[in-house]
Amino acid sequence: MVKLRLKRFGKKQRAIYRIVAIDVRSRRQGRDLRKVGIYDPINKQTYLNVPAILYFLERGAQPTETVRDILKKSEVFKELL
């Protein structure tokens, strides 16, 4: 099963997160299937590869709660319908 989840990178006290499609059995910093976006909580910026996200969602990928909230704010789910 594939999930869309956050993967931390950046400096100490300056976290930035990649939104990745990753196998459920992999750990947080494990090998991802594809990078589909970036989320910067400090600057409140989000960069999304919407076609790639829709590709994984259509094939049954489950977003985590945090990623689901990010996708709702950017209205990705409206494009899925």
Side-chain angles (χ1 to χ4, degrees):
M1 179 187 214
V2 176
K3 278 205 171 211
L4 296 176
R5 69 165 82 148
L6 297 176
K7 188 174 186 181
R8 187 182 196 276
F9 73 105
K11 300 177 183 178
K12 282 191 218 176
Q13 304 297 317
R14 183 74 178 85
I16 298 175
Y17 297 93
R18 275 196 182 109
I19 301 170
V20 296
I22 194 166
D23 187 32
V24 174
R25 296 167 289 187
S26 298
R27 53 182 199 259
R28 183 187 72 178
Q29 295 302 108
R31 185 167 177 258
D32 50 89
L33 301 172
R34 186 161 180 196
K35 297 171 183 72
V36 294
I38 296 175
Y39 172 60
D40 184 356
I42 295 172
N43 294 329
K44 307 283 192 230
Q45 293 179 338
T46 306
Y47 304 100
L48 299 174
N49 182 352
V50 177
I53 291 171
L54 294 176
Y55 172 84
F56 283 106
L57 289 175
E58 288 170 353
R59 282 154 184 78
Q62 298 294 316
T64 60
E65 291 181 26
T66 308
V67 173
R68 186 179 300 125
D69 292 341
I70 293 169
L71 296 178
K72 280 182 185 177
K73 286 181 186 176
S74 61
E75 300 178 353
V76 171
F77 290 119
K78 289 183 180 178
E79 296 179 28
L80 188 60
L81 303 174

